[in-house]
Amino acid sequence: MARLWMCSLWVLLAGSAASAQTRSNESDTIWTSGPLLEAVELMGVFSDSKTFVDMPLLKDAAAVNASFNALPKEANGFPANATLQKFLAANFGAAGSDFESAVPDDFSAEPDNFLPNVTDPAIRKWALQVNGLWQDLCREVNESVIQQPQLHSLLPLPGITAVPGDRFRELYYWDSFWVIKGLLVSGMTETATSEVTNLLSLQETYGHVPNGARVYYINRSQPPMLSNMVRAVYEATQDDGFLAYALPLLVSEHVYWTAAPKQVTVAADSGSYKLSRFYADWFAPRPESYLEDFKSAQGMSSSQQQQLWHDLASGAESGMDFSSRWFGNPDNISTIQTTRIIPAELNAYLYQMESNIAELADEMGNSTLAASFRDFAAARKEAINTLMYNETAGRWFDLIIDDTSRSPVAAVQNNNTISYVSQYIPLWVGIADEGSSQAAAVTRSFFESGLIQPGGISTSTYNSTQQWDFPNCWAPLQVSTSPHHACHVFPMAPSTQCHLLQLPPHSVVYCSLLTALSEPALLC
């Protein structure tokens, strides 16, 4: 019965995607540009730039803009703060009010066969408490988002989803892989299927999976983990209807990541190689961080400001926003140069995508498609190892493009002295063959990198005060590296448990911990 219902869902999805199609190419909305956005953000009406852009309209945007334009202005060209607050209260709903709490039908306080390898009573009790958080984190869009999408910055979604929590009130792209892994550990296959189906519907509507399910995120994506999600759900459900719907969308996502300007051709002595980079379609302050981006660009020329904002949005596309890794000067965000960097881990993820598509195509009996994507994967693996791998360091370095206006580009390894966990992600996806001398060298390098800390794997060894640098330890990166290093990397010793329990309430943190607990190799 469930299979029949899900097959029907794939047929209906085209209709739900079409309801949002009218907004698929919009970059000019009340939440992304214009004098109202500028006034609210620069006047500091809210302490968080994200608050305003998450507020739904109560009236048509044209009428709201007309009313705003009629407001009396101060000498600075903006209405007074009190006037703005009164105006917003009359014309907008509360931030996040268009997403409603939803308890999934497949939630269980004590799932069947839950973490069978975990026998310690204290850890099991804690894991069940983590499992219970699904009741707090699951959401569904309200009817107005579906029927009147023009009134919302929230994008229409066909099913239940899990949100990260706190100020992150919407579905996010790469976070969802670990959310899905956690849902599957909790036995919630229907909700996991719904989560990935929401992302597939966004891919179908916009031609890529946006950074998150808000109109101001459409200008960029995030690390391409969709094929991993599809594979995880398909392995759990064996739903051929789901895979038939998903596979063409995975192919279309691959086109997005391998087309210019994201993909570049790199010239080297050994030949030409195609690799991809993060490259957002945005040259203004990010609406959700408007004031911060505006301040970062002070004192620059107009062209310098646009390039800075472009690189900030592209850095956000990486999911690692922000890190000294993206900066020319590791202590200065204004020196960000994301679009000059060809990242090792992005191309590792794309290799993983190409390999996944090949395997899923085999499942569907499409040997021609499978062969094509195996060829893509083989070419990317060769490019990563030829251009990015450093035998002396035993890791893969990002490349720095000399001149982005040229094609093909010249690029060299950015082999500075800072260690980043991203330099080891190619090992996780299989760029080094299992049991090879290269795999052994990378593992030794990882142990000696300084990244392995008592509480987990640090994002880098440099303390720039940015989120994705030392001493911060992000949950997805624990799972992305730990399986290859077993007990040495993620021992669930009492001190580690205590450290991790201090992390903020964020669904990716909890899902990654559930995933780690479900991996026998990590329980030593």
Side-chain angles (χ1 to χ4, degrees):
M1 187 67 172
R3 282 271 182 115
L4 180 60
W5 179 84
M6 290 306 294
C7 286
S8 299
L9 174 63
W10 315 136
V11 175
L12 293 171
L13 276 172
S16 65
S19 70
Q21 188 64 51
T22 56
R23 292 179 13 167
S24 63
N25 296 314
E26 286 191 12
S27 58
D28 297 324
T29 71
I30 206 164
W31 302 279
T32 53
S33 64
L36 175 56
L37 173 70
E38 185 179 17
V40 171
E41 301 295 6
L42 296 186
M43 288 293 289
V45 175
F46 302 105
S47 60
D48 185 347
S49 294
K50 194 173 183 296
T51 301
F52 169 64
V53 295
D54 289 355
M55 296 169 64
L57 283 162
L58 300 177
K59 305 171 185 176
D60 179 74
V64 171
N65 275 324
S67 297
F68 170 76
N69 291 333
L71 291 176
K73 308 295 192 296
E74 303 283 290
N76 61 9
F78 298 133
N81 199 302
T83 302
L84 275 173
Q85 291 185 30
K86 184 177 179 180
F87 174 83
L88 293 174
N91 290 281
F92 290 85
S97 60
D98 39 13
F99 235 168
E100 299 173 354
S101 295
V103 178
D105 292 338
D106 56 352
F107 171 77
S108 172
E110 295 193 25
D112 293 339
N113 198 35
F114 183 66
L115 300 176
N117 298 301
V118 179
T119 57
D120 184 290
I123 297 180
R124 285 196 64 81
K125 179 181 178 181
W126 170 69
L128 285 169
Q129 291 173 337
V130 172
N131 173 73
L133 292 171
W134 293 124
Q135 299 175 94
D136 301 324
L137 293 170
C138 287
R139 303 282 189 276
E140 57 187 352
V141 300
N142 65 30
E143 194 62 26
S144 176
V145 180
I146 303 297
Q147 299 299 326
Q148 296 178 293
Q150 73 278 6
L151 299 181
H152 302 269
S153 67
L154 187 65
L155 303 180
L157 300 171
I160 287 177
T161 192
V163 299
D166 195 40
R167 67 192 285 268
F168 300 106
R169 310 174 182 92
E170 51 281 316
L171 171 71
Y172 282 83
Y173 179 11
W174 84 311
D175 302 52
S176 293
F177 174 52
W178 291 277
V179 169
I180 286 167
K181 296 275 281 185
L183 287 166
L184 293 174
V185 170
S186 294
M188 298 171 64
T189 55
E190 289 183 15
T191 305
T193 303
S194 178
E195 180 89 1
V196 71
T197 300
N198 287 328
L199 295 166
L200 288 165
S201 75
L202 293 173
Q203 173 67 39
E204 186 171 26
T205 302
Y206 302 105
H208 65 279
V209 182
N211 183 150
R214 293 277 178 187
V215 66
Y216 53 79
Y217 285 141
I218 295 174
N219 65 80
R220 60 183 186 264
S221 188
Q222 268 194 329
M225 306 299 290
L226 187 59
S227 69
N228 284 331
M229 304 181 213
V230 169
R231 182 172 176 172
V233 167
Y234 179 71
E235 288 174 351
T237 64
Q238 295 297 300
D239 187 335
D240 292 336
F242 165 77
L243 185 55
Y245 167 67
L247 187 57
L249 294 173
L250 295 181
V251 173
S252 71
E253 186 188 32
H254 184 261
V255 171
Y256 171 77
W257 281 102
T258 56
K262 286 192 181 313
Q263 180 172 277
V264 296
T265 300
V266 182
D269 291 342
S270 53
S272 295
Y273 302 88
K274 296 184 183 299
L275 292 167
S276 296
R277 58 179 169 164
F278 296 112
Y279 194 98
D281 186 19
W282 198 253
F283 297 86
R286 292 166 297 147
E288 76 281 8
S289 300
Y290 194 99
L291 183 58
E292 296 84 349
D293 288 2
F294 181 84
K295 289 179 177 179
S296 294
Q298 292 307 292
M300 295 183 175
S301 67
S302 176
S303 61
Q304 289 173 330
Q305 288 180 335
Q306 289 185 27
Q307 186 61 51
L308 171 70
W309 294 330
H310 178 43
D311 281 311
L312 286 169
S314 300
E317 184 172 55
S318 77
M320 298 185 185
D321 44 334
F322 290 102
S323 166
S324 59
R325 177 183 171 210
W326 307 122
F327 305 164
N329 175 346
D331 295 307
N332 186 353
I333 193 172
S334 295
T335 65
I336 191 168
Q337 52 182 359
T338 317
T339 54
R340 287 189 60 209
I341 295 173
I342 303 175
E345 96 285 0
L346 170 59
N347 286 281
Y349 291 142
L350 288 170
Y351 167 81
Q352 191 175 49
M353 173 203 282
E354 289 157 349
S355 300
N356 284 339
I357 291 176
E359 291 190 24
L360 295 172
D362 276 336
E363 289 285 343
M364 295 299 296
N366 192 334
S367 58
T368 301
L369 183 65
S372 294
F373 273 84
R374 285 197 176 88
D375 288 343
F376 292 148
R380 190 174 302 275
K381 182 175 182 178
E382 180 186 3
I384 292 170
N385 275 328
T386 300
L387 300 179
M388 295 178 160
Y389 185 65
N390 186 298
E391 289 189 11
T392 302
R395 65 186 78 172
W396 293 268
F397 287 111
D398 298 335
L399 303 179
I400 297 287
I401 299 172
D402 178 49
D403 183 352
T404 57
S405 66
R406 298 177 60 185
S407 182
V409 300
V412 297
Q413 289 184 3
N414 184 26
N415 52 352
N416 59 35
T417 57
I418 302 172
S419 292
Y420 296 96
V421 71
S422 58
Q423 296 164 343
Y424 297 95
I425 286 178
L427 181 65
W428 176 55
V429 306
I431 296 298
D433 294 332
E434 185 174 353
S436 66
S437 58
Q438 183 187 34
V442 174
T443 303
R444 284 194 301 272
S445 170
F446 186 63
F447 289 148
E448 298 168 357
S449 67
L451 293 167
I452 303 171
Q453 298 291 322
I457 304 166
S458 177
T459 308
S460 80
T461 54
Y462 188 77
N463 189 350
S464 68
T465 74
Q466 294 294 330
Q467 289 189 107
W468 288 81
D469 272 316
F470 184 88
N472 295 328
C473 164
W474 286 82
L477 299 181
Q478 311 310 301
V479 181
S480 296
T481 50
S482 297
H484 281 283
H485 310 298
C487 322
H488 302 283
V489 174
F490 203 89
M492 293 304 292
S495 61
T496 304
Q497 298 161 22
C498 294
H499 179 87
L500 292 172
L501 283 169
Q502 295 171 14
L503 293 170
H506 190 296
S507 63
V508 181
V509 172
Y510 294 130
C511 297
S512 295
L513 295 179
L514 286 177
T515 303
L517 286 169
S518 71
E519 295 278 355
L522 306 182
L523 298 169
C524 304

